[in-house]
């Protein structure tokens, strides 16, 4: 009987403890999860336009990032050239402004290094040392990646060998600023086969070409306006010469086709040879001119690529992309045509891409092959296209006959010849549109025509982007 009473009393005694965890009315308390959220500490190299944008976005979205990642993303240190200089952003609490690279590189509490300082030499040292010290890297440095991509891959392989927590390398902001093309090529086409990519991948030149086309401005006038608005650097050579676009194209080629190529081998022609008359003829044809980076699968074993002004038909998805906007079209077997359009540069578009990489790292996302698997495809410098050929001339007899004979000799078939009324004899020019021929053949035609007495100055040629361009005229 006593045992029975004891059991009952025991049950009664235990029962109240079952209700001890019911929340009672009172002041709101911070959850245990929030108090124990791990910290992902950043070391940022560069406190200028993009670096400031990163700091501002983190400050604005701090709570959202913590909910999304389960971690507290914190800017620990920012490395700049002049620590006394006033910043155009609020420096976060507990963030230290430093000028010594080692203050970040040798700080074991820094988890992720964000490189937005630009350049090659110092930036390369910072990135390589960060990787060797086990710090993941986020960078916007397209020139460095394009030049040293094989070295970066080899270093990551070496450092991550046998390492449980892999060092990550992220670079979404390196190509086309705010457009998420890197991640898309890493994840959205894994079951697909890319046949071609073409894009407006330099904002400065697209702004200039828009001004020349829409506003009838000369090259010099368009460049002056681009400089005044901050789209062109003091030395605009990298932009107007096509070299900036070539660096981006080299990276995109590795991701899209797995092909390794020295960027200096990619045919690169900028916009400096374009004139008002080219836009007049482009309008006559119903289209416009864009500086494009193009890479295309010739066959299963060969990839061709170039950076060049191109004639684009008026109904093409790239023709309406104006101003400093960037756009990339990816043509593939499964998805057919996918076009990405957005801001290619600027404080917040570029910072936004860096933030996406930082948040992905804080979430624990993994990218074992940041540049996608390699392939056996080989890069070839020659490619086939319909070409636009503009020739400046002095009055004379037999000009058309000369052109026909040279084209026949070089195996180039002429589709049409265009000529506007001549208003200035010293500025007279006509245009030949070819059928699809090789770049090698069109160069041979240009060399032979330039040697003739009536030809004034170098011949100008550019590819026509689509083979079916004639259909757009119907």
């Amino acid at each position: 009987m006593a045992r029975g009473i004891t059991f009952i009393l025991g049950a009664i005694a235990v029962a109240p403890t079952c209700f001890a965890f019911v929340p009672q009315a009172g002041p709101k308390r911070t959850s245990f999860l929030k108090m124990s959220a791990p910290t992902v500490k950043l070391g940022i190299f560069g406190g200028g336009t993009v670096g400031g944008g990163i700091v501002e976005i983190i400050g604005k979205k701090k709570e959202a990032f913590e909910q999304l990642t389960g971690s507290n993303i914190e800017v620990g240190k920012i490395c700049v050239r002049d620590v006394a200089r006033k910043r155009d952003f609020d420096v976060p609490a507990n963030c230290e402004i430093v000028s010594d690279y080692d203050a970040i590189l040798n700080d074991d509490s820094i988890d992720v290094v964000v490189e937005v300082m630009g350049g090659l030499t110092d930036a390369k040292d910072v990135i390589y040392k960060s990787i060797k010290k086990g710090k993941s890297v986020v960078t916007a440095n397209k020139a460095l990646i394009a030049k040293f991509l094989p070295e970066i891959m080899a270093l990551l392989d070496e450092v991550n060998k046998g390492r449980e927590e892999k060092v990550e390398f992220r670079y979404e902001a390196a190509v086309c600023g705010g457009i998420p093309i890197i991640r898309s090529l890493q994840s959205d086409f894994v079951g697909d086969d890319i046949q071609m990519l073409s894009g407006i991948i330099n904002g400065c030149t697209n702004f200039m070409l828009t001004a020349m086309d829409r506003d009838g401005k000369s090259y010099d006038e368009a460049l002056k306006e681009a400089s005044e608005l901050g789209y062109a650097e003091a030395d605009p050579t990298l932009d107007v010469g096509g070299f900036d676009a070539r660096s981006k194209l080299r990276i995109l080629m590795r991701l899209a086709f797995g092909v390794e190529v020295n960027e200096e081998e990619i045919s690169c022609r900028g916009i400096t040879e374009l004139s008002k008359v080219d836009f007049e003829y482009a309008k006559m044809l119903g289209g416009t001119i864009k500086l494009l980076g193009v890479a295309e699968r010739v066959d299963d074993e060969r990839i061709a690529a170039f950076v060049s002004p191109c004639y684009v038909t008026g109904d093409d998805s790239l023709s309406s992309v104006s101003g400093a906007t960037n756009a990339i079209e990816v043509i593939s077997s499964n998805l057919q045509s996918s076009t990405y359009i957005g801001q290619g540069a600027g404080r917040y578009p570029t910072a936004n891409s860096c933030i996406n990489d930082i948040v992905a790292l804080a979430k624990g996302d993994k990218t074992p092959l940041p540049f996608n698997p390699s392939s056996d495809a080989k890069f070839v410098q020659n490619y086939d296209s319909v070409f636009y050929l503009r020739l400046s001339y002095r009055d004379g007899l037999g000009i058309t006959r000369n052109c026909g004979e040279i084209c026949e000799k070089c195996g180039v078939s002429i589709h049409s010849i265009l000529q506007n009324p001549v208003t200035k004899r010293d500025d007279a020019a006509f245009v030949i549109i070819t059928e699809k021929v090789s770049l090698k053949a069109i160069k041979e035609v240009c060399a032979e025509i330039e040697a003739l007495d009536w030809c004034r100055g170098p011949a100008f040629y550019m590819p026509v982007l689509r083979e079916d361009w004639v259909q757009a005229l119907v």
Side-chain angles (χ1 to χ4, degrees), residues 86-136:
K86 183 175 175 56
R87 302 290 143 192
D88 64 354
F89 57 90
D90 294 330
V91 178
N94 303 318
C95 173
E96 187 179 354
I97 304 294
V98 302
S99 60
D100 182 4
Y101 294 172
D102 288 339
I104 292 177
L105 296 174
N106 293 334
D107 186 342
D108 292 336
S109 71
I110 299 294
D111 303 294
V112 178
V113 166
V114 182
E115 185 277 303
V116 287
M117 62 196 295
L120 291 178
T121 306
D122 285 4
K124 180 184 178 184
D125 290 342
V126 162
I127 289 175
Y128 281 33
K129 287 178 181 178
S130 298
I131 293 172
K132 289 176 182 177
K133 287 181 175 291
K135 302 179 191 298
S136 290

Side-chain angles (χ1 to χ4, degrees), residues 172 175-182 200 325-328 340-344 349 353:
E172 182 64 70
V175 177
C176 295
I179 299 177
I181 186 62
I182 300 297
I200 299 166
T325 305
N326 282 194
I328 298 177
Y340 303 76
I341 301 176
Q343 295 303 304
S353 287

Side-chain angles (χ1 to χ4, degrees), residues 116-267:
V116 287
M117 62 196 295
L120 291 178
T121 306
D122 285 4
K124 180 184 178 184
D125 290 342
V126 162
I127 289 175
Y128 281 33
K129 287 178 181 178
S130 298
I131 293 172
K132 289 176 182 177
K133 287 181 175 291
K135 302 179 191 298
S136 290
V137 170
V138 172
T139 181
N141 199 324
K142 61 183 169 293
L144 186 144
I145 297 171
K147 187 174 181 64
F148 299 112
L149 193 154
E151 285 186 23
I152 295 170
M153 288 194 300
L155 179 60
L156 287 167
D157 287 343
E158 178 186 340
V159 169
N160 284 329
K161 191 175 297 182
R163 188 184 178 95
E164 184 175 343
E165 192 68 27
K166 307 294 187 185
V167 175
E168 294 278 327
F169 184 80
R170 301 296 179 106
Y171 56 101
E172 182 64 70
V175 177
C176 295
I179 299 177
I181 186 62
I182 300 297
R183 185 163 301 187
S184 185
L185 290 175
Q186 288 172 332
S187 60
D188 298 336
F189 293 88
V190 292
D192 208 343
D193 291 309
I194 295 175
Q195 303 302 320
M196 177 181 177
L197 59 85
S198 57
I200 299 166
I201 50 182
N202 181 270
C204 171
T205 51
N206 199 53
F207 176 86
M208 290 176 61
L209 295 182
T210 300
M212 293 173 74
D213 180 28
R214 183 185 61 199
D215 305 327
K217 293 189 175 182
S218 68
Y219 171 85
D220 290 335
E221 290 169 339
L223 177 57
K224 182 175 183 292
E225 185 179 7
S227 299
E228 290 172 349
L229 293 174
Y231 293 127
E233 301 290 341
D235 179 2
T237 304
L238 290 179
D239 292 324
V240 299
F243 305 112
D244 174 82
R246 184 176 67 178
S247 294
K248 296 171 183 174
L249 181 63
R250 181 261 190 276
I251 297 170
L252 294 174
M253 288 172 63
R254 182 61 172 79
L255 288 165
F257 302 108
V259 64
E260 192 57 51
V261 56
N262 183 332
E263 68 171 308
E264 294 182 0
E265 295 179 5
I266 300 172
S267 174

Side-chain angles (χ1 to χ4, degrees), residues 73-89:
I73 299 176
E74 178 182 304
V75 180
K77 293 179 180 177
I78 303 172
C79 187
V80 298
R81 282 195 295 264
D82 182 4
V83 295
R85 179 183 173 186
K86 183 175 175 56
R87 302 290 143 192
D88 64 354
F89 57 90

